[in-house]
């Protein structure tokens, strides 16, 4: 069944399809010119000195003097004092980290609000996609061929997002581009394949160069499929259901992530996946899950019913939808963060970037959001939620 009438906000979106694509491509070019963000490598740990080692002095010209002072038992009051100082230092470091993360979060929110005000939600999505792709491929060591790296990024952007944006424009040029975009994109990918294979045929290349090149191509494809492919559902959700269905899942992810950090810091004792992410605990995971399920319905009402109190059926909240989304965000979405941790540890990095103090880079902040994006759109379709084209407010 076709929707009846396009809402005012979606009408503005339709008129900006071409401009959104042009602005997004300009942002991509800016990233290409400015280069990737810096990443923080994990420092190589130095071997610890043993506290019980025997000190040998060779100052004497005859026999070395051996000092057994370090083998004597430490007085209990000294041990207690050292323990208190260590605990105080750890607590102070945690408080500094909390202050840094809070300040960075405030700055991020202000910057995002200003960006959306000046450009739009679609342009923000494009910027996120290109920035995350840049960070991920930089961490993976894709540096030998910038043309390959950004060429594949352009292909994924055109395949995943281009058709969606051009289909909202009413111009004849956009209609023509929609018709030929799949063929043009495939041709661009085919030319990239030819250029890549031809470059590998250099007489100085060996098996190591082949393996490194294949690794770079695999990294680019994984980044394009996950970071661009998954987040293209943000654009679908924005077009079909409105910006509220972008904000509601995003806020649930923020609630889950924040409370997992709080519960883990206060009560954390048992590591969840110590090999992958040593700081994540079962206490943080379970506390965040319970909290996210508890706030799912009130948060839905605050976002969707505040401006729809007079709408028919506005008092009926799809509780099953809210709980399903909250459960997915609590149980499945954190594994997007674990996947990001696996990638970082594989290449010896602590964070994907250092743009946001205390938070890392774009991938560090959006890893759980990326995993949630496709589920939100598919869940709304499964529940038959009315979209903006039908004049609905997200309620059944």
């Amino acid at each position: 069944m076709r929707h009846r009438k396009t809402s005012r906000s979606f009408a503005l979106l339709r008129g900006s399809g071409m401009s959104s694509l042009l602005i997004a491509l300009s942002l991509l070019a800016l990233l290409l010119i400015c280069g990737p963000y810096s990443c923080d490598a994990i420092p190589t740990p130095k071997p610890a000195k043993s506290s019980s080692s025997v000190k040998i002095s060779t100052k004497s010209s005859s026999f070395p003097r051996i000092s057994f002072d370090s083998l004597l038992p430490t007085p209990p009051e000294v041990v207690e004092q050292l323990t208190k100082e260590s605990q105080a230092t750890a607590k102070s470091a945690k408080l500094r980290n909390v202050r840094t993360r809070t300040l960075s979060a405030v700055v991020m929110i202000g910057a995002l609000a200003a960006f959306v005000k000046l450009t739009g939600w679609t342009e923000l999505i494009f910027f996120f996609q290109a920035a995350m792709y840049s960070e991920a491929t930089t961490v993976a060591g894709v540096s030998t061929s910038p043309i390959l790296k950004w060429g594949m990024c352009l292909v994924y952007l055109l395949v995943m997002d281009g058709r969606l944006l051009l289909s909202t424009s009413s111009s004849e040029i956009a209609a023509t581009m929609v018709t030929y975009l799949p063929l043009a994109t495939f041709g661009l990918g085919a030319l990239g394949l030819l250029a890549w294979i031809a470059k590998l045929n250099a007489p100085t290349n060996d098996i190591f160069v082949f393996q490194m090149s294949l690794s770079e191509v695999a990294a680019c494809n994984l980044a394009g499929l996950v970071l661009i492919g998954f987040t293209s559902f943000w654009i679908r959700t924005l077009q079909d259901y409105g910006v509220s269905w972008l904000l509601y899942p995003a806020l649930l992810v923020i609630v889950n992530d924040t409370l997992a950090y709080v519960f883990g810091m206060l009560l954390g004792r048992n590591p969840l996946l110590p090999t992958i992410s040593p700081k994540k605990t079962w206490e943080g995971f379970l506390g965040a899950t319970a909290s996210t399920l508890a706030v799912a319905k009130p948060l839905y009402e605050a976002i969707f019913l505040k401006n729809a109190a007079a709408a028919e059926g506005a008092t009926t909240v799809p509780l099953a939808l809210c709980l399903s989304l909250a459960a997915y965000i609590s149980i499945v979405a954190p594994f997007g963060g674990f996947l990001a941790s696996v990638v970082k540890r594989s290449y010896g990095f602590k964070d994907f970037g250092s743009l946001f103090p205390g938070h890392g880079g774009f991938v560090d902040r959006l890893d759980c959001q990326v995993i949630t994006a496709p589920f939100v759109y598919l869940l709304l379709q499964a529940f038959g939620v009315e979209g903006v084209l039908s004049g609905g407010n997200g309620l059944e």
Side-chain angles (χ1 to χ4, degrees):
M1 183 181 68
R2 301 295 299 176
H3 297 299
R4 289 174 293 148
K5 188 177 180 181
T6 305
S7 66
R8 182 180 179 184
S9 61
F10 189 69
L12 295 175
L13 181 64
R14 289 178 61 88
S16 61
M18 285 291 292
S19 61
S20 298
L21 184 59
L22 292 176
I23 294 176
L25 293 178
S26 300
L27 291 172
L28 179 61
L30 180 62
L31 281 173
L32 178 58
I33 295 172
C34 296
Y37 301 102
S38 61
C39 301
D40 297 330
I42 299 177
T44 304
K46 297 181 180 179
K49 297 181 179 180
S50 175
S51 59
S52 61
S53 61
V54 178
K55 297 180 180 179
I56 301 178
S57 175
T58 58
K59 292 183 179 180
S60 175
S61 58
S62 55
F63 297 99
R65 294 181 180 181
I66 302 177
S67 174
F68 294 93
D69 293 340
S70 59
L71 300 180
L72 296 177
T74 305
E77 59 273 12
V78 176
V79 174
E80 183 179 358
Q81 179 65 23
L82 292 175
T83 303
K84 289 181 179 180
E85 292 179 359
S86 177
Q87 292 175 350
T89 302
K91 184 177 180 180
S92 177
K94 287 183 178 180
L95 291 177
R96 285 197 304 270
N97 189 31
V98 170
R99 287 195 295 266
T100 301
R101 290 170 65 93
T102 302
L103 180 60
S104 297
V106 173
V107 173
M108 278 191 293
I109 293 174
L112 292 179
F115 190 97
V116 172
K117 184 73 173 178
L118 294 174
T119 58
W121 288 100
T122 305
E123 289 79 8
L124 179 64
I125 293 172
F126 259 105
F127 178 75
F128 280 163
Q129 289 175 329
M132 288 190 295
Y133 179 90
S134 176
E135 289 182 347
T137 51
T138 299
V139 166
V142 182
S143 58
T144 58
S145 179
I147 296 179
L148 169 67
K149 172 180 174 177
W150 291 106
M152 293 187 68
C153 179
L154 178 61
V155 168
Y156 271 100
L157 286 173
L158 291 175
V159 170
M160 300 297 181
D161 300 339
R163 191 178 184 88
L164 293 175
L165 294 177
L166 291 174
S167 62
T168 64
S169 178
S170 58
S171 67
E172 296 182 358
I173 298 178
T176 303
M177 292 179 65
V178 168
T179 302
Y180 293 101
L181 181 64
L183 179 61
T185 307
F186 181 82
L188 182 62
L191 290 176
L193 175 65
L194 294 177
W196 174 54
I197 296 298
K199 184 178 179 180
L200 289 179
N201 193 42
T204 57
N205 289 345
D206 53 13
I207 294 179
F208 174 76
V209 174
F210 294 163
Q211 292 174 342
M212 184 175 63
S213 183
L214 288 172
S215 176
E216 291 185 353
V217 171
C220 290
N221 276 288
L222 180 62
L225 178 63
V226 176
L227 300 177
I228 298 178
F230 281 22
T231 54
S232 66
F233 282 91
W234 283 339
I235 298 178
R236 294 175 182 268
T237 303
L238 179 64
Q239 290 180 343
D240 294 350
Y241 298 101
V243 70
S244 294
W245 278 109
L246 289 183
L247 296 178
Y248 176 56
L251 290 175
L252 280 180
V253 171
I254 293 174
V255 168
N256 184 267
D257 185 57
T258 302
L259 293 179
Y261 177 79
V262 172
F263 278 104
M265 184 178 62
L266 298 177
L267 306 174
R269 295 293 183 274
N270 302 291
L272 179 60
L273 296 173
T275 303
I276 296 175
S277 187
K279 294 184 179 181
K280 299 294 191 300
T281 62
W282 276 105
E283 290 80 5
F285 180 78
L286 296 177
T289 299
S291 302
T292 306
L293 291 171
V295 305
K297 181 179 177 181
L299 185 60
Y300 179 94
E301 294 175 342
I303 294 177
F304 289 91
L305 304 186
K306 181 179 180 180
N307 298 322
E312 182 180 356
T315 58
T316 303
V317 177
L319 181 60
L321 187 152
C322 296
L323 294 180
S324 299
L325 182 57
Y328 180 91
I329 288 174
S330 301
I331 299 173
V332 181
F335 282 81
F338 295 138
L339 173 60
S341 296
V342 170
V343 174
K344 288 184 291 187
R345 290 185 174 276
S346 298
Y347 294 98
F349 285 91
K350 180 183 178 182
D351 294 312
F352 278 95
S354 57
L355 187 61
F356 309 112
H359 293 274
F362 286 98
V363 179
D364 297 292
R365 284 297 85 210
L366 298 174
D367 46 16
C368 298
Q369 305 278 4
V370 169
I371 301 299
T372 305
F375 181 77
V376 173
Y377 183 81
L378 299 175
L379 185 69
L380 294 176
Q381 286 195 322
F383 274 84
V385 177
E386 291 184 347
V388 294
L389 284 175
S390 62
N393 53 20
L395 299 171
E396 294 180 306

